[in-house]
Amino acid sequence: MYTLTRVIIFLLFTVVVKGQEKGTTIVLEIENISSEEGQMLIGLYDSSDNWLQKPVKGMVGKIENGQSIVRFLDIPNGTYAISVFHDEDNDGKLDSFLGIPTEATGSSNDAPARFGPPTWKDAKFEVSGGTTTQIINL
């Protein structure tokens, strides 16, 4: 009986610890989208080396009433940045003319794009449990 009680306590402890290991949820709200044509393509990045090159997670956001809301679930604690663009023609790539985007773009912290893409330094934010919300205005 004593051994059975110890096993049950161990199993309950394991379930509680596993439940606490879940990562953060990042809620992304993209506001001021000019039209409901197309989709939002979203990348979540975890380092300056990967910034705008290799996202750790990508999502497609549906546009409704000038906004798009997506959730990245179970994200480990750390430093991240988000980049988005309005893929108006649904071709899966950012359209540009002479290297300048012709589709709306944005980044976490509403990091500015000055003479080129936003920097990792301006776009990065910390994630440390619970829910983190980022709002990007296009």
Side-chain angles (χ1 to χ4, degrees), residues 16-63:
V16 168
V17 168
K18 287 289 184 190
Q20 292 174 346
E21 286 178 2
K22 285 189 174 184
T24 298
T25 296
I26 300 173
V27 177
L28 173 63
E29 299 176 15
I30 306 166
E31 305 288 337
N32 303 314
I33 302 170
S34 62
S35 78
E36 297 194 13
E37 297 295 318
Q39 61 193 354
M40 296 305 300
L41 294 184
I42 305 152
L44 177 67
Y45 301 85
D46 65 353
S47 73
S48 61
D49 291 337
N50 293 337
W51 177 234
L52 301 177
Q53 302 298 317
K54 185 179 176 189
V56 291
K57 287 195 175 189
M59 296 193 80
V60 175
K62 185 177 179 182
I63 303 167

Side-chain angles (χ1 to χ4, degrees), residues 11 14 23 50 69 77-78 109 115 132:
L11 290 174
T14 302
N50 293 337
I69 299 174
N77 293 342
N109 297 330
F115 306 106
T132 297

